[in-house]
Amino acid sequence: MRSGISAGLMGVGGIFLSFGVTILIIAFFTRTSSMWRDSFPTEMSTATGFLVVGGVMFVLGWLLQRGRRRDARAAA
């Protein structure tokens, strides 16, 4: 049960991290357009939110997976 949850958290967290990095790259490359001042703060806050949420989910999944390994070693 715990391995499925940890894999799910790590998977969705990785997707959020990738999406946040993609938004950052697009935001930096769109600064060359003339109307970038209107959308740049929104893009940066969205990217930061995705990076933070994705990072938290990924770390929680990693910690759950690590705790499962430690429990298996203690039982053996």
Side-chain angles (χ1 to χ4, degrees), residues 18-40:
S18 300
F19 192 62
V21 169
T22 303
I23 293 173
L24 283 176
I25 291 170
I26 290 172
F28 283 123
F29 282 121
T30 58
R31 287 188 352 171
T32 58
S33 69
S34 62
M35 299 186 63
W36 68 275
R37 295 181 193 267
D38 297 333
S39 63
F40 190 70

Side-chain angles (χ1 to χ4, degrees), residues 1-75:
M1 172 75 177
R2 196 185 300 182
S3 65
I5 294 172
S6 66
L9 283 172
M10 290 177 72
V12 174
I15 291 170
F16 278 16
L17 286 171
S18 300
F19 192 62
V21 169
T22 303
I23 293 173
L24 283 176
I25 291 170
I26 290 172
F28 283 123
F29 282 121
T30 58
R31 287 188 352 171
T32 58
S33 69
S34 62
M35 299 186 63
W36 68 275
R37 295 181 193 267
D38 297 333
S39 63
F40 190 70
T42 304
E43 291 173 356
M44 292 302 288
S45 63
T46 303
T48 304
F50 271 104
L51 288 173
V52 168
V53 170
V56 167
M57 290 177 73
F58 192 85
V59 168
L60 282 175
W62 181 75
L63 288 173
L64 278 173
Q65 185 178 16
R66 182 177 169 167
R68 186 176 64 91
R69 286 184 191 162
R70 187 170 290 172
D71 290 343
R73 286 184 190 159

